[in-house]
Amino acid sequence: MSSNASVNVIQGDSMQSERREKVAIIGSGNWGSAIASVAAKNALARPQQFQPEIVMWVFEEDYQGKPLSQVINETHMNPKYLPDIPLGENVIAEPDLAKVLDGATALVIVFPHQFFHDILKQMAGKVEKGAKAVSLIKVSFSSPWASADVTYSNHRGCGCTRANDSNICNDHSRRVRDLLLFA
């Protein structure tokens, strides 16, 4: 796993070193791209808290004769799933999930629920120790996928919560929630 950039933060009379969060978006459909756009703006607005680059995992597919990740990186838009909406120049589309997870400390999980178990297997052993995660996977509470966050937390060793929970646990999402604010 790669190391995270450190910044000095002044608190009271003392100075301490604090890691800046490295944000990874796991999913690049319309919902994932929209969240990446918001995360990109917020990461740039909070440089003391977040690394500037937002890495977004893209399930590689062809778009008009080119790999979708290449198109996203060249245009800073996802024309297949979120046309005409700029993602931000600091969003990096990456088809290699291991590269996306390398050193990431704040995960936003946002892909179709039917791929949950397959993607979870691909993530095995690649999640940074102590990483935080928020699941934005769209499911109903009667769905067998409704406990995806618990499954993720139990199998990956990091805290995960769903943004659609009625009670979001601040212990697991304190820094991730800042990315979701529409400032």
Side-chain angles (χ1 to χ4, degrees):
M1 303 282 165
S2 68
S3 62
N4 292 306
S6 293
V7 293
N8 290 324
V9 179
I10 298 173
Q11 289 188 338
D13 294 330
S14 65
M15 208 171 189
Q16 68 179 21
S17 179
E18 183 177 296
R19 289 181 354 163
R20 293 188 298 164
E21 300 287 355
K22 179 180 176 187
V23 179
I25 310 293
I26 314 301
S28 60
N30 60 355
W31 188 211
S33 294
I35 293 302
S37 175
V38 173
K41 290 174 188 169
N42 283 298
L44 292 177
R46 295 174 179 84
Q48 71 285 358
Q49 190 174 2
F50 299 101
Q51 292 183 26
E53 288 186 345
I54 304 298
V55 184
M56 178 174 70
W57 177 65
V58 176
F59 178 79
E60 196 68 274
E61 54 189 303
D62 183 71
Y63 181 79
Q64 296 183 350
K66 290 184 175 180
L68 182 58
S69 62
Q70 179 183 343
V71 173
I72 293 170
N73 288 331
E74 289 174 352
T75 66
H76 306 291
M77 290 190 217
N78 186 340
K80 182 162 185 167
Y81 295 106
L82 195 65
D84 303 320
I85 304 296
L87 300 180
E89 291 188 20
N90 57 325
V91 174
I92 308 300
E94 173 58 59
D96 184 334
L97 185 55
K99 287 181 181 178
V100 171
L101 294 170
D102 187 28
T105 58
L107 309 177
V108 181
I109 302 168
V110 55
F111 51 79
H113 65 85
Q114 63 266 32
F115 302 118
F116 181 78
H117 291 291
D118 289 338
I119 293 172
L120 192 66
K121 288 177 190 173
Q122 292 177 49
M123 294 172 73
K126 296 175 181 82
V127 176
E128 185 82 15
K129 183 177 180 174
K132 293 166 284 304
V134 61
S135 172
L136 302 180
I137 296 173
K138 297 181 278 188
V139 296
S140 70
F141 287 102
S142 61
S143 164
W145 304 100
S147 63
D149 58 323
V150 174
T151 302
Y152 183 84
S153 293
N154 289 342
H155 288 88
R156 297 298 152 242
C158 78
C160 184
T161 190
R162 278 191 316 267
N164 60 352
D165 278 351
S166 59
N167 181 14
I168 294 178
C169 179
N170 285 335
D171 291 340
H172 294 174
S173 61
R174 181 169 285 125
R175 291 188 179 171
V176 176
R177 72 179 176 202
D178 290 340
L179 294 170
L180 304 177
L181 297 174
F182 290 89

